[in-house]
Amino acid sequence: MKNIAVIGAGTMGNGIAHTFAQFNYNVQLIDISQDALDRGLATIAKNLDRMVAKEKITEADKEQTLSNITTYTSIKEGTQYASLVIEAATENLDLKLKIFQELDEVCPDDTILATNTSSISITQIASATKRPEMVIGMHFMNPVPIMKLVEIIRGYNTSDEVMEFTVELTKQINKIPVEVNDYPGFVANRILMPMINESIETLYNGVAGVKEIDTVMKLGMAHPMGPLQLADFIGLDVCLSILEVMYDGFKNPKYAPCPLLVNMVRAGKLGVKSGEGFYDYSESRKAEHVSKQFA
């Protein structure tokens, strides 16, 4: 198990690629866009530079990590020798089903197919393949090179061997695997997203302002980041998508997205990635200024 293919060069994909490459795995980073691949590699290099500056790794370590990553714009070419494929594309069911159908057709029969989905059913994704026993969830946390947790999600048909192998592999890259079952939102987002949604409801209902809500949760509950800032960091579109998956899966109104969240996503106010969400990031990515809408 030395060849790991990662599909998607965005925030999660480049973080996963970075982590495996740092532990001397051969990583095939795949995206349909060469520009996205270039941006992903630039992000990895920038993050490695930070680690060098903090003396966590050497310049030689950085160069070795980067040399372990090869980029592809073709799934077929990028996965032909992969022992494990980790899909980290956009949180969209139709897209994931399409990717897994293609993976099933082009990957060797013994390739394990993993998804980094944060909420979508592993069993449903596996249904797009003829090898559901080889499909598993590996939900990494952002930022991947730093965060220790990986939720390992067993689909309905995931084999014990694939589960055990994935758990051990996760330990090999110095992460902590936690095994969970296949229900909407798994554990992390089933608990986190209702809290974020309730924070948005609290703002929507005029109980308190953006900074006040975040300050209460940071100082009163010892959270390192307030829920509204965290929502901006995750991406409001991602938060909305996860809530919609849980609402659809459980049919429970407590998971219904706040109208304010829905409208902000429709307006393109997605948080850090768009430059504005609950905070304005035009001058700084540190959530120093509340968005004019809420000031």
Side-chain angles (χ1 to χ4, degrees):
M1 171 66 74
K2 291 302 291 182
N3 289 303
I4 310 290
V6 179
I7 298 178
T11 301
M12 297 305 294
N14 71 58
I16 295 167
H18 170 162
T19 301
F20 276 98
Q22 196 172 332
F23 281 85
N24 221 28
Y25 287 86
N26 299 318
V27 177
Q28 295 82 49
L29 182 59
I30 305 164
D31 201 293
I32 58 172
S33 164
Q34 185 60 51
D35 286 344
L37 289 167
D38 292 341
R39 288 194 300 271
L41 286 177
T43 298
I44 294 169
K46 185 177 179 181
N47 290 335
L48 288 167
D49 283 337
R50 287 199 191 99
M51 297 176 76
V52 171
K54 294 178 180 179
E55 298 184 345
K56 292 185 176 180
I57 63 172
T58 66
E59 186 68 29
D61 292 331
K62 170 195 166 183
E63 295 304 323
Q64 181 62 54
T65 298
L66 291 172
S67 72
N68 288 336
I69 303 172
T70 309
T71 61
Y72 295 86
T73 54
S74 162
I75 286 179
K76 183 176 182 179
E77 291 180 12
T79 62
Q80 58 183 326
Y81 302 116
S83 300
L84 169 69
V85 179
I86 304 174
E87 170 272 317
T90 304
E91 193 74 348
N92 176 284
L93 175 60
D94 290 339
L95 176 61
K96 290 184 187 296
L97 292 176
K98 181 180 178 182
I99 289 171
F100 272 77
Q101 185 176 19
E102 182 174 356
L103 289 173
D104 190 47
E105 292 171 357
V106 302
C107 290
D109 292 341
D110 59 352
T111 300
I112 296 171
L113 307 180
T115 173
N116 182 59
T117 179
S118 55
S119 61
I120 297 170
S121 166
I122 308 304
T123 304
Q124 189 171 10
I125 291 172
S127 70
T129 77
K130 297 182 179 67
R131 60 176 98 183
E133 72 284 354
M134 302 288 285
V135 179
I136 194 164
M138 294 183 76
H139 180 209
F140 290 82
M141 304 294 129
N142 185 27
V144 179
I146 296 171
M147 300 291 279
K148 289 289 189 181
L149 174 66
V150 182
E151 281 187 303
I152 309 295
I153 307 105
R154 179 196 290 267
Y156 189 84
N157 293 300
T158 305
S159 71
D160 290 340
E161 292 79 12
V162 168
M163 189 71 177
E164 291 165 9
F165 178 85
T166 307
V167 166
E168 287 306 311
L169 178 66
T170 303
K171 293 176 182 177
Q172 293 298 314
I173 56 171
N174 201 27
K175 301 296 185 187
I176 298 173
V178 176
E179 300 179 38
V180 304
N181 290 317
D182 189 17
Y183 291 93
F186 315 131
V187 172
N189 282 319
R190 183 169 180 172
I191 295 170
L192 174 63
M193 286 303 154
M195 183 194 76
I196 286 177
N197 198 44
E198 193 62 29
S199 302
I200 299 171
E201 286 278 2
T202 302
L203 176 66
Y204 181 57
N205 292 328
V207 178
V210 171
K211 278 201 171 181
E212 288 74 15
I213 292 168
D214 278 353
T215 299
V216 166
M217 296 306 290
K218 287 190 288 185
L219 298 185
M221 310 305 164
H223 290 196
M225 186 183 293
L228 298 176
Q229 182 186 356
L230 179 57
D232 276 354
F233 179 72
I234 294 168
L236 301 190
D237 52 338
V238 176
C239 294
L240 177 59
S241 175
I242 295 169
L243 284 164
E244 288 175 336
V245 167
M246 292 197 295
Y247 183 54
D248 182 62
F250 292 116
K251 301 296 189 292
N252 189 322
K254 74 178 180 179
Y255 299 114
C258 175
L260 175 58
L261 174 62
V262 175
N263 281 340
M264 289 180 72
V265 173
R266 286 174 178 167
K269 308 297 185 182
L270 308 180
V272 175
K273 70 173 77 174
S274 69
E276 184 181 357
F278 294 105
Y279 292 87
D280 185 334
Y281 301 95
S282 59
E283 297 180 6
S284 170
R285 292 170 62 90
K286 295 182 179 179
E288 296 173 342
H289 306 291
V290 173
S291 173
K292 288 180 181 179
Q293 180 183 353
F294 307 112

